[in-house]
């Protein structure tokens, strides 16, 4: 499968997951919902907000789709393939409607926002279409749908951040949690549908973010990932203290909760990441030395068409600055091949930039034209699909070699690892992550989930490090 690559958290085409936080309490609720999520981490975080809203109104979650009274599918529109996956899944839900005629099916998220009421015409079995800023109205929409009417709310908001809603952690390992710090996006990258599906950028109240992270820590969580499409433009005006909280300040507040709480963040836009952010990462041991800094292309000409507002040289200077201030900083990226007018030379520039930056991880996609975006309106999608895919494959091949080298460089070194649970392959082994977000497998001993341990790396594959815990 060409389009899907590497690491789960960023794999926007991955299969959805069903959630069951209250599987043993299933009989306490009159009705049950089943929710499946697709897309980016923000969508998964939104599903946890939806679960909280529904539970507050007496609906219980189930992971068994067959016993659900309500099925929700939280959708992604980023590439055509993501939408096809959702449509396929919706046809599979049809059979449950046959056996349970009272069953309601709701479409949430970016595809709901993009297609609006048109969805109801295209997919007859859908009863509710609810955009990302309208989840508070879900209980009323469910009531409406229960009367046999189709229910739609796709209004975007300028201020909704769901700041006061405590998400219900779904399918959680109890160690890592996503925390949304902002919504929407004000950038207008020409290929991207997100500004249309998520609306204007708005930041969430800093105090509510810090409180959510504190609560998580008290519940035993040991890592939070602060989420936004462009975290570096976070800003919140605290009127009581008369201060503007920047992203660097927010990170510091979260890092100060406890040295035992690891802090990650995603995504940084190269044009917005500041020295202040880099100094803050360098200052706090518990802020991971790892930056996801999507470049999209290595060609300044293509970057301009993409409206990314930086050039190849500017990006390289930013990477150099990161390495200067945080010498051992891990770096990952997103890349698109076959954007409108991309030549073989442009493609070679993307490959050479990847060689220069030596990314630890890269999420690579071929360009998928999205209706309504600037690129769809202005440029012809003129690179044949076989060329887009061939270039993507060349990029993947290069990255495979680079990521293997990145892993090999770690063999013989010792890393502080946060234990996330038992290894999927062997119950006598544990799995955790380094600061650089690399997966490490090691023998269990007396160690358990949520603890930190120093592990000496003995061997590796392109995706995993294997080691021995160091006992002090
Ligand atoms: N806000 C982040 C940023 O600016 O880097 C990420 C946004 S998007 C959710 C994740 C990635 O999907 C993008 O970085 C880009 O590489 C990819 N993407 C977005 N639109 C695309 C399209 N039309 N075709 C292919 N890939 C796309
Ligand atoms: Fe899309 Fe660009 Fe916003 Fe990222 S920064 S969500 S790529 S418009
Ligand atoms: Fe997809 Fe929407 Fe996220 S389009 S990548 S779910 S913001």
């Amino acid at each position: 499968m060409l389009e899907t690559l590497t690491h789960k958290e960023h794999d926007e085409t991955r299969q959805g997951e069903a959630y069951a936080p209250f599987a043993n309490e299933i009989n306490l609720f009159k009705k049950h919902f089943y929710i499946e999520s697709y897309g980016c981490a923000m969508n998964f975080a939104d599903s946890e907000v939806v679960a909280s809203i529904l539970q507050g109104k007496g609906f219980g979650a189930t992971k068994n789709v067959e016993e659900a009274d309500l099925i929700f599918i939280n959708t992604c529109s980023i590439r055509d393939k993501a939408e096809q996956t959702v449509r396929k899944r919706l046809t599979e839900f049809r059979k449950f409607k046959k056996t349970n005629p009272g069953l309601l099916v709701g479409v949430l998220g970016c595809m709901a926002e993009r297609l609006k009421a048109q969805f109801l015409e295209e997919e007859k079995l859908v009863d509710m279409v609810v955009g990302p800023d309208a989840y508070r109205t879900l209980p009323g929409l469910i009531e409406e749908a229960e009367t046999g009417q189709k229910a739609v709310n796709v209004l975007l908001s300028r201020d909704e951040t769901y700041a006061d809603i405590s998400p219900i952690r779904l399918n959680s390992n109890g160690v890592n949690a996503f925390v949304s710090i902002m919504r929407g996006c004000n950038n207008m990258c020409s290929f991207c549908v997100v500004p249309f599906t998520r609306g204007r950028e708005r930041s969430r109240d800093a105090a509510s973010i810090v409180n959510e992270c504190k609560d998580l820590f008290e519940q035993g969580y040991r890592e939070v990932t602060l989420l936004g499409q462009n975290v570096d433009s976070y800003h919140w005006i605290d009127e009581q203290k008369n201060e503007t909280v920047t992203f660097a300040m927010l990170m510091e507040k979260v890092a100060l909760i406890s040295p035992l709480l690891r802090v990650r963040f995603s995504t940084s836009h190269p044009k917005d990441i500041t020295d202040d952010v880099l100094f803050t990462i360098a200052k706090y041991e518990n802020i991971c030395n790892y930056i996801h800094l999507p470049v999209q292309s290595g060609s300044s000409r293509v970057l301009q068409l993409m409206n990314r507002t930086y050039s190849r040289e500017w990006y390289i200077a930013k990477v150099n600055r990161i390495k200067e201030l945080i010498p051992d900083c891990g770096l990952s990226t997103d890349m698109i091949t076959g954007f409108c007018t991309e030549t073989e030379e442009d493609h070679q520039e993307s490959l050479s930039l990847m060689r220069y930056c030596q990314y630890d991880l890269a999420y690579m996609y071929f360009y998928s034209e999205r209706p309504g975006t600037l690129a769809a309106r202005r440029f012809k999608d003129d690179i044949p699909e076989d060329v887009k895919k061939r270039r993507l494959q060349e990029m993947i091949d290069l990255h495979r070699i680079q990521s293997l080298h990145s892993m090999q460089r770690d063999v013989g070194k010792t890393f502080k690892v946060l234990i996330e649970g038992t290894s999927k392959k062997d119950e006598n082994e544990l799995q955790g992550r380094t600061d650089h977000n690399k997966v490490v497998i090691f023998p269990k001993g007396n160690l358990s989930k949520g603890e930190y341990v120093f592990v000496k790396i003995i061997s590796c594959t392109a995706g995993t490090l294997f080691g021995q815990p160091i006992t002090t």
Side-chain angles (χ1 to χ4, degrees), residues 184-201:
C185 183
N186 281 358
N187 292 323
M188 271 288 167
C189 303
S190 62
F191 51 79
C192 185
V193 78
V194 172
F196 304 95
T197 61
R198 292 270 167 173
R200 305 290 294 169
E201 180 188 287

Side-chain angles (χ1 to χ4, degrees), residues 89-132:
R89 196 63 185 127
L90 281 172
T91 59
E92 287 163 12
F93 290 149
R94 196 162 284 149
K95 67 172 184 278
F96 300 114
K97 269 222 162 174
K98 280 197 188 123
T99 50
N100 177 4
L103 175 71
L104 295 176
V105 175
V107 176
L108 313 177
C110 291
M111 213 174 153
E113 192 60 51
R114 191 177 86 71
L115 292 165
K116 304 186 170 53
Q118 188 189 328
F119 220 126
L120 299 172
E121 284 154 36
E122 289 178 18
E123 304 281 348
K124 296 284 180 231
L125 91 159
V126 171
D127 304 288
M128 287 170 276
V129 176
V130 190

Side-chain angles (χ1 to χ4, degrees), residues 135-147:
Y135 297 147
R136 283 182 202 269
T137 65
L138 268 167
L141 295 170
I142 293 168
E143 273 177 29
E144 202 177 321
E146 279 172 342
T147 67

